[in-house]
Amino acid sequence: MTQAALHPMLNVAIKAARTAGAIINRASMDLDILKINTKSPNDFVTEVDQAAEAAIIETLLQAYPDHGILAEESGRAYGAKHSEYQWIIDPLDGTTNFIHGLPVYCVSIALAHRNIVQQAVVYDPTRNDLFYATKGRGAFLNDKRLRVSKRTRMSDALIGTGFPFRRGDNFKRYMKMFEEIMTQCAGLRRPGAAALDLCYVAAGYYDAFFETGLNPWDVAAGSLIVAEAGGLVGNFTGEPDFLFQREILAGTPKIYGQLVATLAPYTRVITQEALDADAAAAQPPVDAAASKKPKAAAGAEGEAPKKRAPVRIKKSEDDAQA
C-alpha cells in the first residue's frame, strides 16, 4: 500500500506520529536536562511525553475536531466526549527505556470507530520505522507488507512479554506463567515497549507476545497491525475482548492456540463494575455543590449504560487463595 493509497485518516495519524517522533528524537540528545516525574512507583512521565502528546492531539483535532481522544497523559480531556470516533494515543511507549537512553520506544496512535480499531500507526523514531494498518487492507512496515511467522511448534517459538512493574501487580502469578512458557518455548524477550512488541509479532520477529496490566493506549494500534498481518489477538482465554481487560495475547494462529491452553487459568475477570470504579477513581475531584447533582448515565444521552458481561474462567491457585 503506497503512501498515495493510504486512508486519509491514516495519513493524518502518520503525520501526527512523525511530528511526535521528531520531538522525541530532539529530546533524546539532551537526556541530562530532562524533567522526569513519577506517576507511581516505576511508572514515569517526562516533559517529552507531554509535548509529544500535545503535538499529536493538535494534529488530529485540527483535521477531525469532532473526534474523541483517549490519551495516556491527558485521558479524555480533549476532543468530543461522545463521538463514535476515538483516537487512542500513547505518545511515548517505553518511557523508562527513553529516560535511560535505551533505544526501544515508540509512538502509538489508533483510531477506533464504535470501539473497533480501524486505523493504526506505531512509529519507532530511533530507526525511522513506521508500522501501520487499515482494517481490511493489510499491515505494513514502511512500504513492505507484513506477515506473521510460519512457525507452528512452541519449541521453536520466540515469545515477547512484559514484566509487571506497578504496585499491586501480582508478580508471583506472573512468575508462574513465565516458568510455564519458558520451559515450552525457544526463548522469552522483554524489551519494554508493548506497542513495538506487538509490531514485532506482525513482522514475524516474535511468534507471540503476552502481557498483563496494559492499558488501551498500549495495545490498540499494535493489535490491529498484528491482526492485519494474519495473527490472532485476544485475552488469555482466547476471546477478542482484550482492549479494556488489562491482559493481551497475540501470535501466529498455531502458537496462539497453544498459549491459550497455558494462559487461560491465569486470566482475570474484569466486570463493567470494576471498569466503572477505575474510571471514577481517575476523574478529578469535584466541588461539594457539583457532587450533589444527579449523575448522567454512561453512553449517549437518554441511553441506559451498556453492561459488559464478565468472562467466566477457571481461576489460578493465587486467586483461589486470595
Side-chain angles (χ1 to χ4, degrees):
M1 188 160 53
T2 64
Q3 288 290 120
L6 297 182
H7 191 285
M9 291 181 180
L10 184 61
N11 266 325
V12 171
I14 289 171
K15 178 184 176 183
R18 289 196 183 278
T19 300
I23 292 169
I24 293 165
N25 274 341
R26 283 196 299 273
S28 71
M29 294 185 280
D30 291 300
L31 290 175
D32 291 344
I33 63 171
L34 196 65
K35 292 180 182 175
I36 303 167
N37 294 314
T38 303
K39 292 191 282 190
S40 62
N42 303 325
D43 196 3
F44 306 102
V45 61
T46 71
E47 57 193 333
V48 180
D49 296 70
Q50 293 161 340
E53 182 171 294
I56 292 168
I57 292 172
E58 181 182 3
T59 302
L60 298 177
L61 291 184
Q62 192 172 32
Y64 301 105
D66 57 339
H67 284 191
I69 298 286
L70 174 60
E72 178 171 14
E73 309 308 336
S74 58
R76 291 182 170 86
Y78 299 96
K81 300 295 186 291
H82 301 295
S83 174
E84 290 185 348
Y85 289 93
Q86 184 176 61
W87 294 95
I88 306 174
I89 302 162
D90 192 339
L92 178 51
D93 185 24
T95 299
T96 303
N97 287 348
F98 174 77
I99 290 168
H100 287 81
L102 182 65
V104 183
Y105 45 82
C106 64
V107 181
S108 176
I109 303 173
L111 175 65
H113 180 245
R114 296 181 178 177
N115 293 323
I116 297 174
V117 178
Q118 303 285 339
Q119 310 291 339
V121 175
V122 174
Y123 180 54
D124 178 349
T126 69
R127 296 170 180 78
N128 195 27
D129 275 346
L130 185 75
F131 298 88
Y132 57 93
T134 293
K135 188 172 178 61
R137 298 185 65 181
F140 296 82
L141 166 55
N142 301 322
D143 289 324
K144 179 187 174 185
R145 180 75 180 257
L146 294 179
R147 297 300 299 177
V148 295
S149 83
K150 293 182 171 64
R151 292 186 188 89
T152 59
R153 297 190 303 178
M154 277 290 292
S155 58
D156 296 330
L158 182 63
I159 297 172
T161 187
F163 302 148
F165 62 91
R166 295 182 180 90
R167 180 178 290 169
D169 287 342
N170 189 331
F171 194 72
K172 288 183 179 179
R173 168 175 162 258
Y174 176 80
M175 288 306 294
K176 289 182 179 181
M177 287 188 276
F178 186 94
E179 182 179 7
E180 279 203 53
I181 293 173
M182 184 73 244
T183 56
Q184 296 175 35
C185 71
L188 274 173
R189 299 290 181 266
R190 199 281 189 193
L196 270 181
D197 286 324
L198 288 165
C199 291
Y200 291 172
V201 174
Y205 307 157
Y206 293 157
D207 304 297
F209 168 77
F210 72 99
E211 189 168 351
T212 63
L214 294 177
N215 291 297
W217 47 79
D218 298 309
V219 299
S223 63
L224 178 63
I225 292 169
V226 170
E228 288 297 318
L232 296 177
V233 189
N235 59 26
F236 287 178
T237 57
E239 295 162 88
D241 181 19
F242 64 88
L243 198 57
F244 295 94
Q245 286 291 323
R246 298 182 68 78
E247 64 183 37
I248 190 168
L249 169 61
T252 70
K254 295 279 187 180
I255 301 297
Y256 178 90
Q258 292 169 73
L259 282 171
V260 165
T262 299
L263 292 174
Y266 297 98
T267 197
R268 290 297 176 117
V269 176
I270 298 181
T271 63
Q272 184 62 42
E273 289 73 18
L275 291 172
D276 291 343
D278 286 347
Q283 293 298 318
V286 295
D287 58 53
S291 65
K292 292 178 182 177
K293 295 178 182 178
K295 293 180 180 178
E301 190 175 344
E303 289 182 355
K306 295 178 181 177
K307 291 188 177 180
R308 182 191 301 273
V311 180
R312 290 178 173 82
I313 44 81
K314 174 185 173 186
K315 293 189 176 181
S316 67
E317 293 175 7
D318 285 349
D319 296 331
Q321 294 168 2

